[in-house]
Amino acid sequence: YIHITQISELVSKGFWADIDLESHEFNTAGIGFTTNGSDYSEEAIKKAVKDQQVNNRIYKRTKQLMKEKSSILMFLDSVDNCEIMAKALGDRAAVVSGTTSIKNRESILSKFKTGEIQVVCCHSTLVVGFDFPALECVIMGRPTNSLAIFYQIYGRLVRPYENKRGLFLDYGGNLAKFGEM
């Protein structure tokens, strides 16, 4: 037997949070792939993000969102740009990367979950294995050619939580590529 379940059914039954989508323009034309062709190359992503001023647009929108949302998880094109973004956003922002010590990571994520830290910037560290049902906003600031990566990042936001209405912002052309959920 095959049973098809629509996301609207999952939302109505409380298995999936209600999510608003915000898609921002991004041109993926000419972005090179990795040698195995599975995803865009990191260098190509960095160049496209810089050329299209993605991080500047994310910064401006995040400053607005910080007045509305208590928790924002941001996935950017590089750890360096995460550091720059967190510094620009101020004391209520932090970075989690592969070089963040376990103790420091636990501290940052604990403060994030209690609201002491409002924005966590990362490149790929929290794509899987991070569960925070009350998370209100995810910003995807990079393109991917990998449906699995896209779903994992989007999946950080779909956990149901009381009265939750999440916001997913796409600055990498991913919703246009993979479709709205």
Side-chain angles (χ1 to χ4, degrees), residues 3-158:
H3 173 76
I4 297 172
T5 301
Q6 300 296 324
I7 291 175
S8 60
E9 183 181 349
L10 294 173
V11 170
S12 71
K13 291 183 177 181
F15 295 112
W16 188 292
D18 218 357
I19 309 285
D20 291 321
L21 304 174
E22 193 175 294
S23 186
H24 297 264
E25 288 186 35
F26 187 84
N27 183 359
T28 57
I31 298 180
F33 289 90
T34 58
T35 54
N36 69 9
S38 64
D39 204 351
Y40 301 118
S41 75
E42 291 295 320
E43 290 307 313
I45 290 172
K46 287 179 192 176
K47 182 177 181 339
V49 164
K50 182 178 179 183
D51 290 349
Q52 296 179 49
Q53 299 182 342
V54 171
N55 290 327
N56 292 336
R57 293 187 285 138
I58 290 172
Y59 170 77
K60 289 175 185 174
R61 183 66 176 113
T62 303
K63 290 298 281 185
Q64 294 171 336
L65 288 170
M66 288 176 79
K67 297 172 186 168
E68 306 164 19
K69 304 289 183 186
S70 63
S71 54
I72 302 167
L73 180 58
M74 186 181 297
F75 294 89
L76 298 178
D77 63 307
S78 69
V79 174
D80 290 341
N81 281 332
C82 289
E83 297 283 350
I84 292 167
M85 183 70 73
K87 185 176 180 181
L89 291 172
D91 293 342
R92 301 219 42 228
V95 175
V96 172
S97 73
T99 61
T100 306
S101 71
I102 292 172
K103 183 179 179 181
N104 195 23
R105 179 184 305 193
E106 288 173 356
S107 174
I108 290 168
L109 295 179
S110 175
K111 290 176 182 177
F112 185 49
K113 290 178 179 181
T114 63
E116 189 176 337
I117 291 176
Q118 188 176 9
V119 180
V120 170
C121 305
C122 68
H123 170 44
S124 58
T125 306
L126 300 176
V127 171
V128 296
F130 175 64
D131 188 35
F132 179 25
L135 180 65
E136 293 182 326
C137 181
V138 168
I139 298 175
M140 188 165 181
R142 61 187 180 98
T144 185
N145 196 50
S146 168
L147 180 61
I149 291 172
F150 174 69
Y151 273 138
Q152 286 293 327
I153 290 174
Y154 188 85
R156 301 306 97 211
L157 190 59
V158 302

